[in-house]
Amino acid sequence: MTRPPKRPASGPQRGKRPHPAARRRPLDGARLTAYDVLDGVTSRDAYANLLLPQLLRERGLDTRDAAFATQLAYGTLRATGTLDAILAGLVSRPLAELDPRVLDLLRLGTYQLIDLRVPSHAAVDTTVDLTRAIVGTGASGLVNAVLRKVAAGGDREAWLTVLGGDRERQLALSTDHPRWIVDAWRDALGEEDELEPALLADDAAPEVHLVARRIPRNELAAEAGGTPGPWSPFAVRLPGGDPGRLVSVRSSRAAVQDEGSQLAALLLARAPLEGPDTAWLDMCAGPGGKAGLLAAVRPEGVRLTAADRAPHRADLVKQTLWDEADVEVLAADGREAPWQAGSFDRVLLDAPCTGLGALRRRPEVRWRRTPEDVAPLVELQVELLAAALASVRPGGVVAYVTCSPHTEETVGVVEVAAARDDVEVLPVAPLFPEVPGIARGEFGQLWPHRHGTDAMFMALLRRTR
């Protein structure tokens, strides 16, 4: 993938006067919305899963157009590397030298042609119209010529043949992943026959998962028209729709939360403990989803402390826990803790990570992250886990979880802590007998293709003295 330079946000809806050629016919609302998501991701590092719902609400697209805009935006973002590989052979100069707006438009049109099989005249003409309105007539000629070459080359399968390369390159292109992530998944899975299904599961649109925090799950399922999740006793899975419309979600009795994240919080609550059980800590709690579930499942008399070093994220935690008793929310870095060492019986460390386990929900992350991002995060994770172990009393437990299966962020980090003579690793799988295929040695690993969840990693450690 070519990562173009940042640019100011653009588009006719942001106050720019449309080029006169744009008045030839109305712009397609779904395609314009999809383009504006791509533009937000490229120009200001926006997250598509946050920007797209905002644009859909503002523009009032009907159900069909909203679904098409979603498919276009997410699909184009997922396929960026493959789209760029195709375009690189059709444009006379490096893609990084193109106007980034033009590159996004070319990606949008190419995705329609190779993956959605939109009729070529519709994909090309509507993209050219957008180009005239957003960039200008001169650029529309380039877009028209390039997209006609794409259309002449056929669908994805035909283009993969043209692109060629070894098996690894073909697997990366066909599943829309950078090769370094393909290698990381192979290492984490340990099963070659699962590699392609795991990568393809990253490309499937995820279900919406709800957590029934302060409402019986059967009542939430009935209200939402969903079904109980197979793994978490608090999960409800929805076939579609806007969960924000639900009374239980608006009243905070329920929330949107991946079932894998629910299991990560439940790991802490289910862990066997030696001695008293009165004080819990969620050390990197923002934005508050896991802290909300911990508050709901803790035994009576347990005080929950939730901390996050970013004040705005601590504020989000406060919004989640605002009416919970025996809760303290702090804007604090666990590595410079304001609490005394050994203050807690249970500590949850949901460590900052690459987020590679949630590629289904944040399709742009696979191209935004690089292998060079891993080492600095691992250093932070090791420091945070040491701080978590210092925060728990002897006999207490620490649950270390990440939304990434990358071996360096998961097994590698835990092995550093486990080398200490006062730390014992506890097996995760026995705490989730209802979840098949969760064991990754003594640790736990969820996968989209196995469990229909994000790829959450879970480890459990006990302070022995």
Side-chain angles (χ1 to χ4, degrees):
M1 171 204 173
T2 300
R3 186 174 178 81
K6 299 272 183 71
R7 65 175 185 271
S10 61
Q13 78 291 349
R14 297 189 179 96
K16 285 197 172 186
R17 182 185 300 276
H19 191 280
R23 301 193 185 104
R24 294 178 181 175
R25 54 188 168 201
L27 295 177
D28 183 286
R31 289 177 169 89
L32 177 60
T33 299
Y35 165 77
D36 283 330
V37 173
L38 304 186
D39 176 66
V41 169
T42 301
S43 66
R44 57 186 188 276
D45 282 342
Y47 284 106
N49 65 321
L50 301 180
L51 178 58
L52 178 60
Q54 173 190 331
L55 293 178
L56 293 179
R57 286 193 299 269
E58 290 174 355
R59 297 179 184 185
L61 299 181
D62 62 30
T63 301
R64 181 177 177 181
D65 280 349
F68 187 46
T70 301
Q71 184 180 33
L72 281 178
Y74 284 6
T76 302
L77 288 169
R78 273 194 301 268
T80 295
T82 304
L83 302 176
D84 284 1
I86 294 170
L87 292 170
L90 301 177
V91 178
S92 60
R93 58 185 184 274
L95 297 186
E97 295 180 7
L98 288 177
D99 182 327
R101 298 171 298 173
V102 172
L103 181 55
D104 277 341
L105 288 159
L106 285 171
R107 291 166 174 164
L108 187 67
T110 301
Y111 174 70
Q112 294 174 65
L113 290 166
I114 72 164
D115 278 336
L116 299 187
R117 301 188 183 184
V118 172
S120 59
H121 65 87
V124 174
D125 291 351
T126 54
T127 307
V128 168
D129 288 345
L130 284 176
T131 306
R132 287 196 186 101
I134 293 166
V135 187
T137 302
S140 68
L142 170 67
V143 169
N144 181 63
V146 171
L147 291 185
R148 291 191 181 281
K149 294 177 184 176
V150 174
D155 60 11
R156 174 182 284 256
E157 184 176 353
W159 272 108
L160 289 178
T161 301
V162 171
L163 294 174
D166 59 17
R167 179 183 179 278
E168 294 299 303
R169 173 175 163 81
Q170 283 286 303
L171 183 61
L173 290 172
S174 66
T175 64
D176 294 324
H177 286 75
R179 286 188 65 160
W180 74 275
I181 293 182
V182 173
D183 292 339
W185 262 222
R186 175 183 287 108
D187 182 54
L189 279 163
E191 295 287 345
E192 186 70 26
D193 60 355
E194 280 195 83
L195 179 58
E196 186 171 7
L199 294 168
L200 290 173
D202 269 345
D203 299 334
E207 294 178 299
V208 174
H209 295 180
L210 302 178
V211 57
R213 290 201 297 236
R214 290 180 293 174
I215 179 177
R217 178 167 71 163
N218 62 335
E219 292 184 19
L220 179 61
E223 177 189 354
T227 58
W231 319 125
S232 165
F234 301 92
V236 171
R237 297 190 177 191
L238 302 186
D242 178 11
R245 65 182 170 80
L246 300 173
V247 173
S248 294
V249 172
R250 293 201 302 269
S251 66
S252 298
R253 293 183 298 159
V256 176
Q257 186 177 45
D258 183 79
E259 193 168 359
S261 292
Q262 295 176 42
L263 294 182
L266 293 176
L267 172 65
L268 185 73
R270 292 183 181 184
L273 193 68
E274 299 174 354
D277 194 9
T278 60
W280 295 8
L281 170 66
D282 185 350
M283 204 171 85
C284 296
K290 295 180 182 68
L293 184 53
L294 289 176
V297 302
R298 61 189 164 146
E300 186 176 353
V302 170
R303 179 169 182 78
L304 174 64
T305 299
D308 200 282
R309 67 175 176 174
H312 73 280
R313 288 174 65 84
D315 286 342
L316 293 174
V317 180
K318 289 179 182 178
Q319 293 173 26
T320 298
L321 302 176
W322 68 272
D323 61 345
E324 293 282 359
D326 293 323
V327 167
E328 180 183 29
V329 179
L330 303 173
D333 188 331
R335 295 171 297 174
E336 301 172 354
W339 52 81
Q340 294 294 317
S343 294
F344 299 98
D345 306 302
R346 300 177 189 265
V347 177
L348 174 66
L349 172 55
D350 181 10
C353 67
T354 56
L356 298 180
L359 296 182
R360 304 176 305 156
R361 303 184 190 280
R362 292 182 173 178
E364 70 281 356
V365 167
R366 69 189 68 193
W367 306 111
R368 183 175 287 173
R369 287 294 191 187
T370 69
E372 290 70 36
D373 293 329
V374 176
L377 282 165
V378 168
E379 182 178 358
L380 174 61
Q381 291 155 359
V382 168
E383 292 174 358
L384 287 169
L385 183 51
L389 288 165
S391 299
V392 74
R393 62 164 177 81
V397 293
V398 173
Y400 173 79
V401 304
T402 65
C403 190
S404 170
H406 195 294
T407 299
E408 292 182 30
E409 296 188 89
T410 56
V411 176
V413 170
V414 178
E415 285 180 343
V416 172
R420 294 169 38 168
D421 61 6
D422 63 343
V423 172
E424 174 189 10
V425 175
L426 304 178
V428 169
L431 299 176
F432 297 106
E434 69 279 20
V435 184
I438 193 174
R440 183 176 175 184
E442 292 186 292
F443 312 125
Q445 181 69 64
L446 299 167
W447 289 98
H449 70 292
R450 290 184 191 171
H451 307 106
T453 68
D454 291 344
M456 298 293 300
F457 171 85
M458 298 179 284
L460 194 59
L461 301 95
R462 175 186 286 146
R463 274 280 306 279
T464 58
R465 55 179 176 82

